[in-house]
Amino acid sequence: MRFYKTCLYCDKELIGRTDKKFCDPQCKSAYQYQQGKEHPERFYNKVDNQLKLNRKILKEYNKGGKVILRAELLKEQGFNPNFITHYWKNGKGDTYLFVYEYGFLKKRENNKEKYVLIKWQEYME
């Protein structure tokens, strides 16, 4: 029993297996790309993409282990502090929010919002 008689992308006649959907890998790739463009992004993908972007930004700005930056600088790059993976509370009661191994603490200095950036350490477990 044949499910598809023609390629789902280019409509060429299919030869070979009865459950074949595409005539070649290029048509399969083009079809999947087209489907991705036509259907809205899933919630999971949006969250995952934002987490990856947040991690990339935190990693880029935290080269020294501990850095203090203006919040607007990170937000201009696309950083969204609402997307985190976990948190850690230090002995002083400050709560650091983490995106994988890179963390940040919201702070106000001179009436400006800033972030203290840190990297996860073994003692934080």
Side-chain angles (χ1 to χ4, degrees):
M1 185 169 134
R2 181 174 284 271
F3 296 97
Y4 304 97
K5 294 183 180 182
T6 59
C7 175
L8 290 177
Y9 184 71
C10 70
D11 288 328
K12 277 188 190 174
E13 185 178 349
L14 295 175
I15 300 169
R17 294 176 38 178
T18 57
D19 61 343
K20 194 173 181 179
K21 297 179 184 180
F22 304 98
C23 57
D24 59 32
Q26 289 78 15
C27 279
K28 180 179 180 181
S29 179
Y31 179 81
Q32 290 173 340
Y33 178 76
Q34 179 184 30
Q35 292 298 306
K37 297 279 273 181
E38 291 174 2
H39 299 294
E41 194 173 26
R42 295 183 321 189
F43 177 73
Y44 166 82
N45 291 343
K46 288 180 183 180
V47 171
D48 191 45
N49 289 339
Q50 186 62 55
L51 285 171
K52 287 176 184 176
L53 178 62
N54 281 358
R55 182 189 179 277
K56 178 183 171 190
I57 292 168
L58 291 173
K59 180 180 180 183
E60 183 179 322
Y61 284 100
N62 188 4
K63 302 224 186 269
K66 183 177 181 183
V67 179
I68 299 175
L69 292 170
R70 292 185 331 263
E72 65 189 46
L73 180 65
L74 297 181
K75 289 178 182 176
E76 286 171 2
Q77 303 290 318
F79 182 77
N80 185 337
N82 296 321
F83 289 81
I84 63 167
T85 55
H86 60 288
Y87 66 92
W88 173 74
K89 197 176 265 193
N90 68 8
K92 298 177 189 175
D94 297 327
T95 301
Y96 286 84
L97 305 176
F98 278 82
V99 181
Y100 304 108
E101 74 272 31
Y102 295 98
F104 62 98
L105 171 69
K106 294 179 184 181
K107 195 174 188 179
R108 241 184 171 13
E109 274 185 12
N110 300 328
N111 223 13
K112 294 189 184 209
E113 188 177 336
K114 296 187 177 187
Y115 290 133
V116 178
L117 307 184
I118 62 171
K119 192 170 179 187
W120 183 263
Q121 304 293 317
E122 286 186 28
Y123 71 85
M124 296 175 175
E125 293 178 1

PDB file of all heavy atoms in Angstrom, residues 8 21 28 42 45 47 58 68 80 84 89-90 94 99 101-102 109:
ATOM      1  N   LEU A   8       6.359  15.270  -1.409  1.00  0.00           N
ATOM      2  CA  LEU A   8       5.591  16.298  -0.704  1.00  0.00           C
ATOM      3  C   LEU A   8       6.062  17.711  -1.042  1.00  0.00           C
ATOM      4  O   LEU A   8       5.308  18.664  -0.863  1.00  0.00           O
ATOM      5  CB  LEU A   8       5.679  16.091   0.813  1.00  0.00           C
ATOM      6  CG  LEU A   8       4.948  14.888   1.376  1.00  0.00           C
ATOM      7  CD1 LEU A   8       5.191  14.763   2.880  1.00  0.00           C
ATOM      8  CD2 LEU A   8       3.456  14.985   1.108  1.00  0.00           C
ATOM      9  N   LYS A  21       8.398   9.658   1.307  1.00  0.00           N
ATOM     10  CA  LYS A  21       7.677  10.929   1.246  1.00  0.00           C
ATOM     11  C   LYS A  21       8.357  11.950   0.337  1.00  0.00           C
ATOM     12  O   LYS A  21       7.707  12.849  -0.171  1.00  0.00           O
ATOM     13  CB  LYS A  21       7.567  11.545   2.639  1.00  0.00           C
ATOM     14  CG  LYS A  21       6.778  10.731   3.622  1.00  0.00           C
ATOM     15  CD  LYS A  21       6.757  11.429   4.965  1.00  0.00           C
ATOM     16  CE  LYS A  21       6.053  10.596   6.003  1.00  0.00           C
ATOM     17  NZ  LYS A  21       6.023  11.279   7.309  1.00  0.00           N
ATOM     18  N   LYS A  28      13.431  17.062   1.088  1.00  0.00           N
ATOM     19  CA  LYS A  28      13.048  16.885   2.485  1.00  0.00           C
ATOM     20  C   LYS A  28      13.447  18.112   3.303  1.00  0.00           C
ATOM     21  O   LYS A  28      12.660  18.648   4.073  1.00  0.00           O
ATOM     22  CB  LYS A  28      13.707  15.627   3.065  1.00  0.00           C
ATOM     23  CG  LYS A  28      13.343  15.374   4.514  1.00  0.00           C
ATOM     24  CD  LYS A  28      13.991  14.108   5.023  1.00  0.00           C
ATOM     25  CE  LYS A  28      13.612  13.861   6.471  1.00  0.00           C
ATOM     26  NZ  LYS A  28      14.225  12.662   7.015  1.00  0.00           N
ATOM     27  N   ARG A  42       6.943  27.214  18.381  1.00  0.00           N
ATOM     28  CA  ARG A  42       6.348  26.624  19.571  1.00  0.00           C
ATOM     29  C   ARG A  42       6.884  27.301  20.826  1.00  0.00           C
ATOM     30  O   ARG A  42       7.989  27.831  20.836  1.00  0.00           O
ATOM     31  CB  ARG A  42       6.673  25.133  19.638  1.00  0.00           C
ATOM     32  CG  ARG A  42       6.067  24.336  18.522  1.00  0.00           C
ATOM     33  CD  ARG A  42       6.357  22.877  18.666  1.00  0.00           C
ATOM     34  NE  ARG A  42       7.721  22.681  19.135  1.00  0.00           N
ATOM     35  CZ  ARG A  42       8.315  21.514  19.199  1.00  0.00           C
ATOM     36  NH1 ARG A  42       7.691  20.442  18.827  1.00  0.00           N
ATOM     37  NH2 ARG A  42       9.553  21.399  19.638  1.00  0.00           N
ATOM     38  N   ASN A  45      10.351  26.229  21.971  1.00  0.00           N
ATOM     39  CA  ASN A  45      11.448  26.805  21.186  1.00  0.00           C
ATOM     40  C   ASN A  45      11.727  28.243  21.584  1.00  0.00           C
ATOM     41  O   ASN A  45      12.878  28.669  21.633  1.00  0.00           O
ATOM     42  CB  ASN A  45      11.133  26.729  19.692  1.00  0.00           C
ATOM     43  CG  ASN A  45      11.139  25.311  19.179  1.00  0.00           C
ATOM     44  OD1 ASN A  45      11.663  24.416  19.814  1.00  0.00           O
ATOM     45  ND2 ASN A  45      10.528  25.093  18.035  1.00  0.00           N
ATOM     46  N   VAL A  47      11.272  29.621  24.545  1.00  0.00           N
ATOM     47  CA  VAL A  47      11.958  29.596  25.842  1.00  0.00           C
ATOM     48  C   VAL A  47      13.402  29.158  25.663  1.00  0.00           C
ATOM     49  O   VAL A  47      14.328  29.786  26.182  1.00  0.00           O
ATOM     50  CB  VAL A  47      11.220  28.670  26.836  1.00  0.00           C
ATOM     51  CG1 VAL A  47      12.036  28.468  28.107  1.00  0.00           C
ATOM     52  CG2 VAL A  47       9.847  29.227  27.164  1.00  0.00           C
ATOM     53  N   LEU A  58      25.432  36.736  28.900  1.00  0.00           N
ATOM     54  CA  LEU A  58      26.104  36.713  30.199  1.00  0.00           C
ATOM     55  C   LEU A  58      27.547  36.238  30.066  1.00  0.00           C
ATOM     56  O   LEU A  58      28.455  36.789  30.693  1.00  0.00           O
ATOM     57  CB  LEU A  58      25.343  35.822  31.181  1.00  0.00           C
ATOM     58  CG  LEU A  58      23.980  36.345  31.641  1.00  0.00           C
ATOM     59  CD1 LEU A  58      23.258  35.291  32.469  1.00  0.00           C
ATOM     60  CD2 LEU A  58      24.136  37.632  32.426  1.00  0.00           C
ATOM     61  N   ILE A  68      30.182  44.054  37.241  1.00  0.00           N
ATOM     62  CA  ILE A  68      28.976  44.848  37.470  1.00  0.00           C
ATOM     63  C   ILE A  68      28.716  45.685  36.216  1.00  0.00           C
ATOM     64  O   ILE A  68      29.610  46.389  35.745  1.00  0.00           O
ATOM     65  CB  ILE A  68      29.117  45.770  38.701  1.00  0.00           C
ATOM     66  CG1 ILE A  68      29.358  44.934  39.948  1.00  0.00           C
ATOM     67  CG2 ILE A  68      27.865  46.622  38.872  1.00  0.00           C
ATOM     68  CD1 ILE A  68      29.626  45.736  41.203  1.00  0.00           C
ATOM     69  N   ASN A  80      16.787  38.908  28.597  1.00  0.00           N
ATOM     70  CA  ASN A  80      15.503  38.955  29.280  1.00  0.00           C
ATOM     71  C   ASN A  80      15.676  38.271  30.639  1.00  0.00           C
ATOM     72  O   ASN A  80      15.819  37.055  30.706  1.00  0.00           O
ATOM     73  CB  ASN A  80      14.423  38.256  28.462  1.00  0.00           C
ATOM     74  CG  ASN A  80      13.049  38.397  29.081  1.00  0.00           C
ATOM     75  OD1 ASN A  80      12.900  38.626  30.271  1.00  0.00           O
ATOM     76  ND2 ASN A  80      12.036  38.257  28.254  1.00  0.00           N
ATOM     77  N   ILE A  84      15.259  32.107  33.306  1.00  0.00           N
ATOM     78  CA  ILE A  84      16.384  31.583  34.081  1.00  0.00           C
ATOM     79  C   ILE A  84      16.251  30.069  34.195  1.00  0.00           C
ATOM     80  O   ILE A  84      15.183  29.513  33.914  1.00  0.00           O
ATOM     81  CB  ILE A  84      16.445  32.213  35.487  1.00  0.00           C
ATOM     82  CG1 ILE A  84      15.197  31.854  36.298  1.00  0.00           C
ATOM     83  CG2 ILE A  84      16.607  33.729  35.402  1.00  0.00           C
ATOM     84  CD1 ILE A  84      15.293  32.144  37.775  1.00  0.00           C
ATOM     85  N   LYS A  89      20.897  31.363  46.679  1.00  0.00           N
ATOM     86  CA  LYS A  89      20.831  32.400  47.701  1.00  0.00           C
ATOM     87  C   LYS A  89      22.111  32.347  48.528  1.00  0.00           C
ATOM     88  O   LYS A  89      22.469  31.285  49.063  1.00  0.00           O
ATOM     89  CB  LYS A  89      19.613  32.164  48.592  1.00  0.00           C
ATOM     90  CG  LYS A  89      19.216  33.377  49.406  1.00  0.00           C
ATOM     91  CD  LYS A  89      17.953  33.120  50.183  1.00  0.00           C
ATOM     92  CE  LYS A  89      16.785  33.635  49.386  1.00  0.00           C
ATOM     93  NZ  LYS A  89      15.552  33.718  50.149  1.00  0.00           N
ATOM     94  N   ASN A  90      22.808  33.476  48.631  1.00  0.00           N
ATOM     95  CA  ASN A  90      24.052  33.500  49.401  1.00  0.00           C
ATOM     96  C   ASN A  90      23.760  33.715  50.887  1.00  0.00           C
ATOM     97  O   ASN A  90      22.615  33.868  51.301  1.00  0.00           O
ATOM     98  CB  ASN A  90      25.027  34.558  48.856  1.00  0.00           C
ATOM     99  CG  ASN A  90      24.572  35.982  49.075  1.00  0.00           C
ATOM    100  OD1 ASN A  90      23.589  36.244  49.766  1.00  0.00           O
ATOM    101  ND2 ASN A  90      25.278  36.922  48.473  1.00  0.00           N
ATOM    102  N   ASP A  94      21.068  37.462  49.503  1.00  0.00           N
ATOM    103  CA  ASP A  94      20.923  37.888  48.111  1.00  0.00           C
ATOM    104  C   ASP A  94      20.602  36.677  47.245  1.00  0.00           C
ATOM    105  O   ASP A  94      21.200  35.617  47.396  1.00  0.00           O
ATOM    106  CB  ASP A  94      22.213  38.531  47.594  1.00  0.00           C
ATOM    107  CG  ASP A  94      22.577  39.797  48.349  1.00  0.00           C
ATOM    108  OD1 ASP A  94      21.649  40.506  48.774  1.00  0.00           O
ATOM    109  OD2 ASP A  94      23.784  40.065  48.514  1.00  0.00           O
ATOM    110  N   VAL A  99      21.411  31.406  34.520  1.00  0.00           N
ATOM    111  CA  VAL A  99      21.121  30.838  33.214  1.00  0.00           C
ATOM    112  C   VAL A  99      22.261  29.856  32.977  1.00  0.00           C
ATOM    113  O   VAL A  99      23.371  30.261  32.639  1.00  0.00           O
ATOM    114  CB  VAL A  99      21.070  31.906  32.109  1.00  0.00           C
ATOM    115  CG1 VAL A  99      20.751  31.263  30.770  1.00  0.00           C
ATOM    116  CG2 VAL A  99      20.066  32.987  32.451  1.00  0.00           C
ATOM    117  N   GLU A 101      25.334  28.119  33.812  1.00  0.00           N
ATOM    118  CA  GLU A 101      26.416  28.386  34.765  1.00  0.00           C
ATOM    119  C   GLU A 101      26.691  29.866  34.994  1.00  0.00           C
ATOM    120  O   GLU A 101      27.543  30.227  35.783  1.00  0.00           O
ATOM    121  CB  GLU A 101      27.715  27.670  34.326  1.00  0.00           C
ATOM    122  CG  GLU A 101      28.425  28.292  33.145  1.00  0.00           C
ATOM    123  CD  GLU A 101      27.970  27.788  31.790  1.00  0.00           C
ATOM    124  OE1 GLU A 101      26.794  27.430  31.634  1.00  0.00           O
ATOM    125  OE2 GLU A 101      28.801  27.785  30.877  1.00  0.00           O
ATOM    126  N   TYR A 102      25.956  30.747  34.339  1.00  0.00           N
ATOM    127  CA  TYR A 102      26.164  32.191  34.485  1.00  0.00           C
ATOM    128  C   TYR A 102      25.017  32.814  35.262  1.00  0.00           C
ATOM    129  O   TYR A 102      23.853  32.615  34.923  1.00  0.00           O
ATOM    130  CB  TYR A 102      26.313  32.859  33.116  1.00  0.00           C
ATOM    131  CG  TYR A 102      27.552  32.392  32.405  1.00  0.00           C
ATOM    132  CD1 TYR A 102      27.487  31.396  31.445  1.00  0.00           C
ATOM    133  CD2 TYR A 102      28.788  32.920  32.731  1.00  0.00           C
ATOM    134  CE1 TYR A 102      28.636  30.943  30.810  1.00  0.00           C
ATOM    135  CE2 TYR A 102      29.941  32.469  32.102  1.00  0.00           C
ATOM    136  CZ  TYR A 102      29.850  31.481  31.148  1.00  0.00           C
ATOM    137  OH  TYR A 102      30.994  31.035  30.534  1.00  0.00           O
ATOM    138  N   GLU A 109      22.148  51.010  42.013  1.00  0.00           N
ATOM    139  CA  GLU A 109      23.242  51.889  42.429  1.00  0.00           C
ATOM    140  C   GLU A 109      23.053  53.236  41.760  1.00  0.00           C
ATOM    141  O   GLU A 109      22.841  53.298  40.542  1.00  0.00           O
ATOM    142  CB  GLU A 109      24.600  51.314  42.004  1.00  0.00           C
ATOM    143  CG  GLU A 109      25.200  50.349  42.976  1.00  0.00           C
ATOM    144  CD  GLU A 109      26.599  49.922  42.548  1.00  0.00           C
ATOM    145  OE1 GLU A 109      27.179  50.539  41.637  1.00  0.00           O
ATOM    146  OE2 GLU A 109      27.085  48.947  43.119  1.00  0.00           O
TER     147      GLU A 109
END
